[in-house]
Amino acid sequence: MGIHVGEWGAHNRTPHAVALAWMRDELDLWREAGWGWALWNLRGSFGVLDSGREDVAYEDFKGHKLDRKMLEVLRKY
């Protein structure tokens, strides 16, 4: 039987560098354990689009604010 970590992430009030480091740590552990995962949301306060974080240099993506650094962390897994 497999394990799936659903609806996880770091709220937009968590400092960006801390959120990214925590995400890498969790994803490394889950990969090692063979667990699946799903981010809480794509767009919104936990997501990679339009999160409202004040400490992110956003990139425009089709009219949305893209957190490229967070996207790159997620793409590794």
Side-chain angles (χ1 to χ4, degrees):
M1 177 188 212
I3 294 178
H4 175 80
V5 179
E7 302 176 351
W8 72 281
H11 191 258
N12 64 6
R13 298 298 176 238
T14 306
H16 195 237
V18 171
L20 295 178
W22 175 76
M23 292 172 91
R24 281 186 210 98
D25 288 346
E26 295 299 305
L27 290 164
D28 281 338
L29 291 170
W30 298 339
R31 175 186 275 171
E32 184 178 318
W35 296 359
W37 57 272
L39 193 63
W40 173 251
N41 60 5
L42 173 67
R43 183 174 170 243
S45 59
F46 287 78
V48 297
L49 290 175
D50 305 327
S51 69
R53 292 180 184 278
E54 296 177 3
D55 56 349
V56 172
Y58 291 104
E59 177 181 318
D60 180 65
F61 179 76
K62 299 183 180 185
H64 296 278
K65 293 180 178 181
L66 172 66
D67 181 343
R68 174 65 66 181
K69 288 184 179 182
M70 185 180 288
L71 177 61
E72 292 304 319
V73 166
L74 297 172
R75 289 180 72 184
K76 289 181 182 180
Y77 300 89

